[in-house]
Amino acid sequence: GNMSTLPSSDVRPRYFPVPSPVFKLRFVSRKGAPHVLYCGGGGSSKSGVRNTVVLASLSSEGGEPKFETKASADTGDKLCVSVAADADVDLVAAGMHGGSVVVYGCTAQDELVVLTEGLEADLPTKEDPKGEECAVECMALHGKKLATGGNDGVLRVWALENQAAVLSALQKEAGAKEDVPKLKVGSAVECKGHRGPITDVAFDAAGARVCSASKDATVRLWDATSGAALCDLPATTGLPSGLPANKGGVGKVMCRACVFSPDGMSVLAVQSGGRGASYATRWEITGEGEATDVSVTKVGKLSNDPVPCLSISADGKVVAAGDVEGHVTILNATSLAKVKSMPLHGLPVTTISMIPGGTAFGGFDIATGSADKRVVISSSKGGGSIMTYLGILLLLILVFLVKTTVL
């Protein structure tokens, strides 16, 4: 379907049922068209719910958005908890509960083929010697680099060595999937410093730096090539001084999400306790290499509840965040002032992603997922939904008046 047939004015949220809880999703562009890449499942094979990675296309039919599975991969008894894709979704990385990562190639015919044997990306710790908690909770893919983070608190940046050869084989229209070479992945650069599990990871637009958020109440900046630690961004600097301490003090504050602004000049992060309000913080970055420095420029209250996920628009103007009550909040990325809040899910929003630059889908620019087994697309545009409700109410009153006078 043609995107232009979508009325850009009608941006009521659209709900698409999926077979299982959604753990992570990415709003992506493939061959210039909007798609959603997501992963989910039910855990063990006994549950009967398959563990999958799915690439779905968004199109329109009769002016209504349509959500259609294009490619999917069954991850067997491994539950996939994070996904990442490169710019045109030729490569898809899937992070598993258990600590491994599988990289798939998406062929010209939209088939997912396995390109790597499991990379061990999250390892047992002193506290968890059997590795029962191992899980690759977050990933980012940028050019020839794959960043992974998980329970052991080590950020790993892997080099995809023969990426160019793999991409050219995948993009061949008449190519057979058997002809796609396996992806050679070099040993990971290990970035050590976090004292708790890593919750989120992101590259800057140039792929030169990577940021990681952690339950240890910090966001850290690293050199994406050497793995050198550039800066610590302690969450507590971003919190209002009068904030009631959690039971057990500041130690309970966690950083749950982090993202670079598109120009790479700032990092936005979310911090909150296990319960209670969450705050967004904006740090400006100055200098580079060993002279990298950061300063807090803005703090804004995001929600009365913890916020596990955050995304920034391609133009860097707005930030979207999902909370544990199922609401999505839109903030101005500079002032961190609240633009609007929308109730979208019946369970916590587990994942949120804004549409990448260079692609459009009517007025829709946000995709969210949740354990409520729905992928929702919504819009950051437009004021609060209050106006819409008032409009509908007035219309109903008018209809009622007209009817009663006619009768």
Side-chain angles (χ1 to χ4, degrees), residues 193-365:
H194 279 301
R195 297 177 309 281
I198 294 174
T199 53
D200 200 8
V201 56
F203 284 104
D204 66 5
R209 290 181 294 212
V210 61
C211 64
S212 54
S214 165
K215 290 186 178 176
D216 70 2
T218 65
V219 169
R220 290 172 191 249
L221 281 187
W222 315 84
D223 180 301
T225 308
S226 69
L230 301 177
C231 260
D232 270 21
L233 291 56
T236 43
T237 51
L239 297 184
S241 49
L243 199 68
N246 305 337
K247 292 190 175 76
V250 172
K252 290 282 194 294
V253 172
M254 299 185 252
C255 280
R256 292 166 174 259
C258 61
V259 63
F260 279 98
S261 58
D263 63 9
M265 301 307 288
S266 50
V267 168
L268 288 113
V270 173
Q271 41 275 335
S272 62
R275 289 193 288 277
S278 47
Y279 294 81
T281 309
R282 187 185 176 100
W283 279 277
E284 294 299 322
I285 306 168
T286 49
E288 50 186 63
E290 287 181 9
T292 307
D293 199 18
V294 288
S295 54
V296 169
T297 52
K298 207 77 202 160
V299 179
K301 186 174 176 182
L302 251 178
S303 168
N304 288 325
D305 300 289
V307 161
C309 52
L310 177 78
S311 187
I312 192 164
S313 60
D315 62 8
K317 289 182 179 166
V318 297
V319 175
D323 72 21
V324 298
E325 290 295 316
H327 289 74
V328 167
T329 301
I330 311 298
L331 299 184
N332 174 306
T334 313
S335 67
L336 297 187
K338 196 179 279 194
V339 178
K340 68 169 179 177
S341 180
M342 306 177 275
L344 294 183
H345 289 277
L347 287 168
V349 182
T350 48
T351 176
I352 192 164
S353 181
M354 294 197 75
I355 201 166
T359 187
F361 189 58
F364 297 101
D365 58 356

Side-chain angles (χ1 to χ4, degrees), residues 22-23 25 309 345 348-352 367-372 374-376:
V22 177
F23 292 101
L25 60 67
C309 52
H345 289 277
V349 182
T350 48
T351 176
I352 192 164
T368 49
S370 163
D372 67 3
R374 297 198 291 192
V375 168
V376 179

